[in-house]
Amino acid sequence: MRFGIISDIHSNWEALSAVLEVLEKEKVDRYLCPGDLVGYGADPNRCVEAVRRLSCLTALGNHDSVAAGREEPPYFNLHARKAIEWTREALEGENREYLKELPMKRIEGGWLLVHATPSEPEAWHYVLSEERGAREFPHFNGAVCLFGHTHYPYAQRMGSLGSVLLDSQKVLLEPGFRYLLNVGSVGQPRDGDPRAAYGVYDSEAMTLEFRRVEYDIATTQKKILDAGLPRILAERLSKGS
Ligand code: ZN
């Protein structure tokens, strides 16, 4: 089976549709999403509807949770808060309900999907270092934990001799090791590469490819500005920051 992995879409329809165009051509069998379908961008309904149509296995993101009214955003910065208030108004009933019902954790073929961390998913911690990642391995059972939230591609392998960070381009999942993996963000990459990030996992070859695809950033930016969302949310997309 081939799995398409899409995370941190953030209401960016142009980025999501560019990714889905590639994945549909490649006849991916199943879609996995570790959360944050909405927030920041101007197309929340279109993005949620697309994910629902894919019968994607989706975990709850922190922006999804706030947008659906499950929690308040005291920890959000000013721009994120403005965007999430706009999103709450814009979200249509069925899409809000879909987000509201999303579980914190999902299991697929022994993989754990979670937005932030397996240890305390509701605390929305960020895994950005080997030391931080290593502390998460005791908190899941299977070979792989797939997460999002940081908007940085990340691959960490744990074996009997300890853990190591891997080059996040193509990872071979070897028996006897466990993995913490993040394919980066579809709709708001922060690693300096503005192209949409996504992943393809081939369960026969046991490989996870970290992919990028260009999309129409100018149209996404115009929609963000036209919606009256903070200008910085449009500008950062050109820089991938
Ligand atoms: Zn996010």
Side-chain angles (χ1 to χ4, degrees):
M1 289 239 304
R2 285 161 62 76
F3 295 81
I5 303 164
I6 49 177
S7 188
D8 295 274
I9 298 159
H10 285 295
S11 303
N12 184 337
W13 170 248
E14 287 69 33
L16 179 61
S17 56
V19 168
L20 294 183
E21 198 182 318
V22 178
L23 293 175
E24 277 161 20
K25 264 188 208 151
E26 294 186 18
K27 300 203 179 353
V28 157
D29 303 290
R30 182 109 169 94
Y31 290 86
L32 308 175
C33 175
D36 270 5
L37 282 64
V38 301
Y40 297 134
D43 268 324
N45 290 302
R46 235 171 151 181
C47 290
V48 175
E49 279 155 19
V51 170
R52 288 171 59 197
R53 268 199 308 277
L54 295 171
S55 303
C56 184
L57 192 82
T58 308
L60 181 79
N62 56 320
H63 287 253
D64 306 325
S65 178
V66 177
R70 280 173 62 150
E71 61 181 293
E72 292 306 311
Y75 57 90
F76 273 28
N77 67 37
L78 185 63
H79 306 304
R81 191 177 306 195
K82 276 192 176 163
I84 213 71
E85 282 164 6
W86 181 92
T87 304
R88 277 182 165 180
E89 291 292 314
L91 261 184
E92 289 162 11
E94 283 190 11
N95 293 332
R96 185 184 304 107
E97 283 308 304
Y98 173 80
L99 297 180
K100 206 171 191 169
E101 299 300 319
L102 286 174
M104 283 278 180
K105 293 181 177 180
R106 309 293 307 249
I107 304 279
E108 169 85 20
W111 286 30
L112 173 69
L113 262 74
V114 65
H115 186 60
T117 61
S119 60
E120 284 187 290
E122 68 291 337
W124 312 118
H125 297 303
Y126 292 87
V127 173
L128 288 162
S129 68
E130 187 196 347
E131 184 272 329
R132 185 68 190 79
R135 293 190 344 236
E136 295 299 324
F137 281 90
H139 297 277
F140 63 100
N141 294 320
V144 173
C145 171
L146 190 63
F147 70 105
H149 195 42
T150 65
H151 299 208
Y152 283 88
Y154 183 96
Q156 183 170 7
R157 189 185 72 188
M158 179 67 85
S160 54
L161 299 177
S163 88
V164 61
L165 289 183
L166 304 174
D167 193 17
S168 48
Q169 289 190 343
K170 187 170 185 175
V171 171
L172 174 65
L173 302 182
E174 299 177 79
F177 292 98
R178 301 173 69 228
Y179 296 84
L180 206 49
L181 302 168
N182 183 340
V183 299
S185 168
V186 169
Q188 195 197 76
R190 294 177 187 164
D191 61 345
D193 181 344
R195 295 174 301 166
Y198 65 104
V200 176
Y201 169 59
D202 184 323
S203 64
E204 278 175 33
M206 297 289 282
T207 52
L208 175 72
E209 284 178 43
F210 291 73
R211 303 257 198 98
R212 304 305 276 251
V213 64
E214 286 184 9
Y215 72 95
D216 182 359
I217 294 176
T219 295
T220 305
Q221 290 173 317
K222 184 174 184 314
K223 287 182 181 175
I224 288 172
L225 297 175
D226 288 350
L229 290 162
R231 174 168 290 272
I232 191 174
L233 298 178
E235 288 172 346
R236 67 188 302 175
L237 296 176
S238 314
K239 302 175 206 138
S241 65

